[in-house]
Amino acid sequence: MKVRTENGNIDMRAVWFDRGKVMMIDQRELPHKVVVVGFDDYGDVAEAIRNMTTRGAPSIGAAAAYGMCLAALSGFDLDLASKNIKAARPTANDLFFAVDHMYSLLRNGSEPVEAANGYADMIVSKCERIGEYGSQLIKNGMKVMTHCNAGALATVDVGTALAPIRKAWAAGKRFFVYASETRPRLQGMQLTAWELGQEGINHAIIPDGASAYYMEKGVDMIITGADRITANGDFANKIGTFDKAIAAKHFGIPFYVAAPVSTFDFDTMSGEDIIIEQRSEKEVTEMYGMRIAPAGSPALNPAFDVTPAELVTGFITEKGIFGPKDIRKVMDDE
């Protein structure tokens, strides 16, 4: 992705490896400043996943792959490293997929850095293909809505939900994007809007609660990412996605989910079996370290919700676009 700096535009990935360290853009600092952090211990990478220094299922997967790389380079027990990294966040399937992928390669003698770089490159390649398939759905003059961040920051580079938007814009199509703010961590406002601004794509931030208002006014398509997609097509994504899918069904708006096949969890039959991460209530009751909720009032803070397959128009993957009833085709290709 292009990142604007005082020295001009720089091509940068969200996560990469450089001279013995796992490097990543600290997403907690955006959009106000671009801060790059580096870790040479796999445990610190696991903590960076947990505290959302890096976020987005594919970027979490890449960070996990590099964490396994560090564990191997330091001679750390790979079984224990796998367990610790997987414990960082329980919902995103890419995390588990990446750890198992690296574990297998490392046990079979693969060079750690080469294996981890290969995993990250694979993600980027898949996102490019997601963009190619999905961009065909976007037409001139459309109004497109998205939720949370599923751009280059969330996917190493290019994006999942933002990949079709990027590709369509680069092809000369002109349209408008509603970026839902995504409470409580504001990924849509702070990350998606920042990425759209870097690309010069027409957009506006909207409050989460205004989504149905703008759908009624006229939204042509909704594209989100996903953190885990089950065998029947139910999927987990950032909290607030389910609300949008229900409203989209009411207004007859196509609802697409963009994700690589690594996000599909074919061992989990339905959304009822997905473990939903519960995060600190402080993310809800505090803002910039200051409490904004009444003293003594508790808060509940699920990080994700589950949208049933019946509300999904199609899944945009690196293998093509599939309806929920066609997921077996994705499974059969694996």
Side-chain angles (χ1 to χ4, degrees):
M1 62 179 160
K2 296 288 187 183
V3 177
R4 295 176 189 168
T5 70
E6 294 178 354
N7 299 319
N9 290 344
I10 298 175
D11 284 314
M12 187 179 294
R13 285 186 169 186
V15 184
W16 70 99
F17 195 83
D18 183 41
R19 290 174 286 187
K21 289 187 176 183
V22 180
M23 311 299 294
M24 57 184 71
I25 296 174
D26 190 341
Q27 297 185 31
R28 300 169 302 177
E29 299 288 345
L30 291 171
H32 305 297
K33 55 184 176 180
V34 178
V35 175
V36 175
V37 293
F39 308 101
D40 57 10
D41 181 270
Y42 95 89
D44 292 333
V45 174
E47 173 60 20
I49 293 171
R50 188 201 64 77
N51 67 26
M52 299 178 79
T53 298
T54 192
R55 64 189 86 164
S59 280
I60 287 173
Y66 284 123
M68 289 292 289
C69 166
L70 287 179
L73 290 174
S74 65
F76 197 86
D77 181 78
L78 292 181
D79 289 288
L80 184 55
S82 297
K83 179 181 178 180
N84 291 340
I85 294 172
K86 286 181 176 180
R89 298 194 71 185
T91 302
N93 192 59
D94 290 68
L95 171 63
F96 298 85
F97 181 91
V99 170
D100 291 341
H101 175 86
M102 285 293 294
Y103 183 90
S104 177
L105 290 179
L106 294 170
R107 284 297 191 199
N108 285 294
S110 293
E111 198 283 318
V113 177
E114 182 178 325
N117 281 337
Y119 184 85
D121 290 342
M122 177 178 66
I123 290 174
V124 175
S125 177
K126 289 180 177 182
C127 287
E128 290 280 0
R129 294 197 295 277
I130 288 170
E132 291 167 4
Y133 284 116
S135 64
Q136 299 172 32
L137 301 171
I138 299 176
K139 311 299 181 184
N140 273 316
M142 271 191 167
K143 293 181 179 178
V144 181
M145 183 177 288
T146 189
H147 186 66
C148 196
N149 179 255
L153 290 165
T155 61
V156 183
D157 203 356
V158 184
T160 51
L162 288 195
I165 291 171
R166 275 193 163 92
K167 289 285 186 182
W169 192 267
K173 298 177 184 178
R174 292 297 175 259
F175 47 90
F176 189 85
V177 179
Y178 291 109
S180 187
E181 63 182 344
T182 322
R183 290 184 181 271
R185 292 297 295 252
L186 303 176
Q187 294 97 323
M189 179 167 68
Q190 295 184 328
L191 305 179
T192 295
W194 180 78
E195 288 198 40
L196 293 171
Q198 299 291 306
E199 302 280 344
I201 297 172
N202 293 333
H203 71 281
I205 301 161
I206 60 170
D208 290 351
S211 298
Y213 172 86
Y214 284 105
M215 288 186 207
E216 185 180 35
K217 296 292 183 184
V219 170
D220 299 292
M221 180 169 57
I222 298 173
I223 310 177
T224 73
D227 285 81
R228 186 181 295 258
I229 303 168
T230 65
N232 75 336
D234 297 346
F235 77 99
N237 194 51
K238 189 55 58 184
I239 193 74
T241 302
F242 187 20
D243 303 45
K244 283 182 171 57
I246 292 171
K249 185 74 170 182
H250 174 79
F251 291 114
I253 300 169
F255 188 101
Y256 287 95
V257 180
V261 174
S262 58
T263 303
F264 287 76
D265 177 5
F266 301 129
D267 294 326
T268 299
M269 293 300 102
S270 73
E272 294 180 357
D273 302 314
I274 297 176
I275 298 172
I276 298 299
E277 177 185 1
Q278 303 292 323
R279 295 187 63 81
S280 169
E281 67 172 19
K282 289 184 178 181
E283 293 182 350
V284 177
T285 61
E286 296 182 2
M287 185 168 289
Y288 302 112
M290 178 181 296
R291 187 174 180 88
I292 58 174
S297 291
L300 303 176
N301 186 20
F304 305 93
D305 55 26
V306 175
T307 299
E310 65 194 51
L311 299 180
V312 178
T313 303
F315 294 96
I316 308 169
T317 77
E318 72 271 24
K319 297 179 181 294
I321 302 175
F322 300 91
K325 294 181 180 179
D326 296 326
I327 283 181
R328 176 64 59 177
K329 295 178 181 178
V330 180
M331 295 174 67
D332 291 342
D333 283 342
E334 288 303 288

